[in-house]
């Protein structure tokens, strides 16, 4: 039976298409991707040689420029090389490129006077290369676009015009005649003056003309050149690179509770990842439950007011069995194996940046990427607390007794007040509170609490250190039970060294810009301590 | 092989659909229509019994509510009766109704409290019946809509919302699950709160939501009830009935040069017809050439300013062989036979009235329908003159010499001036002109002209008659060569009687409201006379 080959990262519409045209979804064969989510051309070559041996016709190979989830670009140039190679062995196939998502990326590439793409090796390093906008092989892939037989591209995606604007381009104009149907009641070619009515070549008959006008106007205003629309594409890709760096920075902080696990290296405008506890992933099912908690906080219900959301995040799901070879760097082998055995999917979080003016959202104080990262970190931490420490109250005798020392005890903006008012916390802790000034009068109380939280004023580090010293030296507080927390200036390297000298474990020290984040990290730490003590 | 049956009046998309789903256009079998362009259910019954005998599976029967060209309604109730009948013989099929065009007509039908359609026999005569909005059998057909298995309906047609708003309705909601595809990166049912994202059941994935909102708002404002949207549908159908009456009246005038030949009795909102010379149709090829001349005058080129057109007309083409049985009342049998032998198509003109507020365009002086009819008549006459009497100048000796007698000879607004300045006319005639007052002084000229055109002042009929009498009695003008023309008040029955008494042939007398129309009719008459004389 004839087959159509495509990478496993295919958009769901290809199954629909194949079923629809009567070939059946089974005639669509998916080939593995590499860890950049690009079609593995070795696998393609191998499969095609099998087809030659079995004399199985190959209707087409579909390459993807911009996978839906990851925005990855298949190596079109390699596919064309494979086509030449198997062509010599007598196998020809149609090469269609599904560039619905990423076709507009090609507008970044300069052209020669003859209208061809400038060869990748002649491009500037800041466009193509390891530190450029795109890796060289992605640029090579885009440069091979004119060799394909047909291309789908959606101006309603990165063409920035409204729905429904999709297009299919044929290298040979006459191909469309093979799929033409005439409607006698509609105007003929000559009279319409537009080269014929579109319905004869497409699924839809009558349709809004506004989208065609949108495309025309949009491209008349912003031409598809490196300095025009190409600039928009660069901005989006650079914004995504910035976001990736900011996320790595935020989640990669020393002694963080949460780790960012990328599904792939983000190369264009999208990025799929999960957030997992530093302590490791126990199972895909548990990780999915946590991922979905985060997604729920950052997705909008159709009936909600979207303006109440700061940032939105999408999610997707991949088949663990199909992607096991890509997941090796992301999850422990046994976790992947278990999920594959149970036929489980892995839920991924997904960002996609489309705003070419994103840098406008940077302020003097913070970049857009940092704000997104901070926001996501806070949500992830909150959901981690809720996920790990459910709001089921422990009996009083089993609750963890803590003392919070801060400048103004039980102030509205204080840590003790926050801990007291957080339902997840109060269910697990008994909170006591006092100021540094009266701490010595409470010596007897110190023996009845397990942990002492020292909410420091980072503007007065010496005072903070003095209290810490008194606690460990005079009050005999075990440094393991001391939790210094600073919630304004977070850069306290010196400060950290002194605390470590006192025997306070580095992970006990919480340096966060936000009180809320501090409190959540504290809950994780205190609960962790408690469970350690139990174990 | 499995088959799908549909009437020959099918929309071209059904061929496309069948090809697309891999069954092939040949699996779509077309059945004949009757002279109302409705599926012939006898032919359907016969074909189904054949299928039973041959054990050939019938995937479906597609009925049409509102054929694209004629707006005709298939007898759904009879199709359902046939379904019951062949069901007893063991053949079941899916009954899909293509109500893309006419589904909204059902909004005219009142419903019982239980929500069912009121049975046709209980409806008012002004809605269903020979003098009602719809013939009874069309109402019976619409009432059978709920018995079908699925229905397509296009709100962007008679739902009056913008493109692209099409819908398919299934009687059994679960059917859609048979064609569902999941896209993991899109929101799931629960969260979206809309019962799932539409792309999983339809060809298109992402699409504009504006059309759904349009449909919702439109139907919230104007509900699909007899007093709401149903009123719009009635208005359109009544406007079409008015137009048909006006066209028949205009072209049916005594001694007209042109005849209106309806392709079908217009029953809903559309009407297909041709205009042909009273003298008869010689060939389909010649008739098509003439029809296309008229269409060219009333269709808009995509590059033109549409506002310069008063009225637009569409056209369509039917296969003469396929429709030979319907054309018997319209064209002579030998003309149909010849065209069928030559595998020729017949071009039809087509009106379609969609404006539910059309009566707003009626003025005290004239109805919209009359204005359309007059306009079309003028265009048809002009194109008839151009078609029959091409602007190739005849040599001077061969030209027809005529004398035009009118109140102010060669006035700007006079008939003689018009005839002189019309290129088609000047090529065939030598025009002389004088006033009634000097007519007697020109007696010698009268003998050198062939025909005398008497441009009458209808407000002074007695004077006009006096001149006519003098011409026939004293000046010995043969009444056969006398052409009385009146271009204002056109109702001159008395006047006509007197002229006929003088021996002037009734067809020589031209009573038109417009000078231009008079002049064109005159050209036809004078040329006809000339050719008569020659013969």
């Amino acid at each position: 039976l004839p087959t159509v080959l495509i990478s496993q990262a295919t958009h769901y519409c290809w199954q629909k298409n194949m079923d629809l045209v009567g070939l059946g979804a089974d005639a669509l064969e998916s080939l593995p991707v590499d860890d950049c989510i690009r079609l593995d051309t070795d696998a393609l070559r191998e499969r095609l040689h099998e087809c030659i041996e079995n004399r199985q016709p190959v209707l087409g190979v579909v390459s993807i420029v911009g996978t839906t989830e990851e925005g990855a670009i298949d190596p079109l140039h390699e596919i064309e090389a494979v086509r030449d190679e198997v062509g010599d062995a007598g196998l020809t196939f149609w090469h269609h490129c599904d560039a619905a998502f990423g076709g507009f990326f090609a507008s970044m590439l300069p052209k020669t006077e003859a209208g061809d793409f400038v060869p990748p090796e002649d491009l500037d390093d800041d466009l193509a290369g390891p530190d450029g906008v795109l890796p060289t092989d992605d640029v090579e892939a885009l440069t091979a676009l004119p060799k394909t037989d047909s291309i789908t591209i959606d101006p309603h995606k990165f063409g920035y015009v409204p729905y429904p604007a999709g297009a299919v381009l044929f290298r040979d104009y006459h191909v469309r005649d093979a799929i033409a149907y005439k409607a006698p009641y509609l105007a003929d070619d000559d009279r319409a003056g537009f080269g014929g009515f579109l319905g004869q070549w497409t699924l839809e008959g009558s349709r809004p003309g506004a989208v065609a006008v949108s495309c025309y106007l949009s491209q008349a205003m912003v031409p598809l050149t490196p300095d025009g629309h190409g600039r928009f594409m660069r901005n989006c890709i650079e914004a995504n690179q910035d976001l990736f760096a900011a996320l790595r920075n935020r989640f990669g902080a020393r002694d963080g509770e949460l780790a960012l696990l990328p599904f792939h290296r983000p190369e264009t405008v999208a990025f799929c990842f999960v957030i997992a506890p530093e302590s490791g992933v126990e199972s895909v099912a548990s990780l999915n439950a946590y991922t979905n908690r985060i997604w729920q906080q950052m997705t909008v219900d159709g009936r909600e007011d979207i303006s109440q959301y700061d940032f939105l995040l999408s999610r997707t799901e991949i088949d663990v069995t199909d992607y096991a070879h890509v997941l090796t760097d992301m999850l422990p082998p046994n976790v992947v194996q278990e999920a594959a055995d149970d036929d489980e999917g892995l839920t991924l979080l997904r960002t996609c940046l489309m705003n070419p003016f994103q840098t406008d959202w940077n302020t003097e104080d913070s970049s857009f990427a940092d704000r997104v990262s901070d926001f996501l970190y806070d949500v992830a931490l909150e959901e981690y607390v809720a996920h790990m420490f459910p709001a089921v109250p422990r009996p009083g005798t089993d609750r963890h007794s803590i003392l919070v020392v801060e400048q103004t005890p039980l102030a509205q903006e204080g840590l003790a007040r926050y801990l007291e008012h957080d339902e997840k916390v109060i269910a697990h802790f008994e909170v006591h509170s006092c100021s540094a000034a009266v701490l010595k009068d409470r010596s007897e109380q110190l023996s009845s609490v397990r942990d002492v939280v020292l909410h420091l004023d980072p503007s007065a580090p010496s005072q903070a250190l003095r209290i810490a010293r008194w606690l460990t030296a005079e009050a005999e507080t075990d440094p393991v039970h001391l939790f210094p927390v600073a919630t304004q200036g977070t850069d306290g390297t010196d400060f950290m060294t002194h605390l470590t000298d006192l025997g306070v474990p580095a992970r006990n020290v919480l340096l966060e810009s936000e009180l809320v984040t501090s409190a959540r990290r504290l809950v994780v730490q205190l609960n962790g301590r408690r469970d350690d003590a139990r174990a």
Side-chain angles (χ1 to χ4, degrees), chain A residues 65-66 71-73 101-109 134 142 153 158 229-230 233 236-237 268-269:
Chain A
V65 167
I73 299 176
F101 183 112
F104 280 93
F105 297 160
S107 64
M108 291 185 292
L109 305 183
L134 284 179
L142 290 175
I153 184 165
F158 278 89
H229 193 273
M233 299 298 94
C236 291
I237 293 173
T268 59
V269 294

Side-chain angles (χ1 to χ4, degrees), chain A residues 12 52 69 79 93 211 234 344 376 381 447-448 520 531:
Chain A
Y12 81 107
I52 293 173
E69 271 92 359
I79 296 171
F93 57 82
V211 296
R234 279 181 90 128
E344 226 152 356
L376 179 60
L381 199 53
S447 60
S448 73
R520 283 177 193 141
D531 294 340

Side-chain angles (χ1 to χ4, degrees), chain A residues 193-212:
Chain A
F194 298 124
F197 89 99
L198 274 172
Q200 63 183 304
W201 298 297
T202 60
L203 273 176
E204 269 189 307
S206 307
R207 72 190 63 189
V211 296

Side-chain angles (χ1 to χ4, degrees), chain A residues 329-406:
Chain A
D329 288 343
M330 192 177 172
L331 297 175
N334 63 313
V335 169
V336 173
Q337 190 55 53
E338 261 176 51
D341 291 347
D342 294 349
D343 207 16
E344 226 152 356
L346 172 68
T347 304
L348 301 173
L349 295 173
R350 173 177 174 269
T351 60
C352 185
L353 300 182
M354 287 194 69
N355 184 352
F357 307 109
Q358 206 130 272
T359 48
D360 291 357
W361 292 346
N362 293 342
T363 63
E364 265 184 48
D365 295 335
S366 67
S367 72
F368 171 77
D370 282 336
R371 287 205 302 281
V372 174
S373 301
D374 286 347
F375 185 89
L376 179 60
Y377 184 86
D378 282 355
V379 169
L381 199 53
E382 175 173 336
E383 292 305 325
Y384 181 65
V385 169
H387 176 64
M388 296 298 285
F389 314 112
V392 181
R394 292 176 186 250
T397 50
D398 199 25
R399 272 189 229 146
H400 199 134
S401 180
I402 57 169
L403 174 68
V404 181
V405 182
E406 52 191 333

